[in-house]
Amino acid sequence: MRIIEGAGVWAGADGDWTEQLRTPDLSVGTYCIPAGGVDDQSPHTEDEIYVVTTGRARIVTPTGEAEVGPGAVIFVPAGEDHRFVDVTEDLTLLVVFGPAYGSRG
């Protein structure tokens, strides 16, 4: 058992990704985008789950788009282009990758 300190907590930097836990099968981290900021990430080679802990934005993918806010849980399959846009409040995302981020690259 391990308590993952700082996961899902605002770090205050544009596009800031911090990985707090890594095992071969998954990784957990925090991604922060300030209000008005730009999400310039590329599709990942791993499945991904986002949990919005603070803030508001819209997520856009080729299959649709949705408004998201605290408590929203978003699944993005490996390889799917996705982006958070119209970030109206500082956005903090708890992110879980399976398998670990970059391990299929």
Side-chain angles (χ1 to χ4, degrees), residues 55-74:
R56 300 200 178 276
R58 192 164 41 96
I59 186 165
V60 178
T61 73
T63 58
E65 58 184 69
E67 299 290 326
V68 297
V73 179
I74 306 142

Side-chain angles (χ1 to χ4, degrees), residues 22-57:
R22 183 179 192 85
T23 71
D25 295 323
L26 67 87
S27 59
V28 175
T30 305
Y31 185 45
C32 300
I33 307 168
V38 175
D39 177 12
D40 61 358
Q41 65 180 308
S42 300
H44 311 293
T45 55
E46 302 78 29
D47 288 338
E48 183 174 20
I49 292 176
Y50 291 103
V51 179
V52 179
T53 59
T54 66
R56 300 200 178 276

Side-chain angles (χ1 to χ4, degrees), residues 2 4 17 19-29 46 97 99-105:
R2 177 175 166 194
I4 304 169
W17 159 253
E19 188 174 70
Q20 281 102 3
L21 174 74
R22 183 179 192 85
T23 71
D25 295 323
L26 67 87
S27 59
V28 175
E46 302 78 29
F97 285 100
Y101 176 70
S103 63
R104 289 184 180 165

Side-chain angles (χ1 to χ4, degrees), residues 54-100:
T54 66
R56 300 200 178 276
R58 192 164 41 96
I59 186 165
V60 178
T61 73
T63 58
E65 58 184 69
E67 299 290 326
V68 297
V73 179
I74 306 142
F75 171 71
V76 179
E80 183 172 74
D81 191 29
H82 59 286
R83 191 143 344 286
F84 291 94
V85 300
D86 301 331
V87 181
T88 59
E89 298 173 11
D90 292 345
L91 188 65
T92 309
L93 302 154
L94 174 68
V95 186
V96 179
F97 285 100

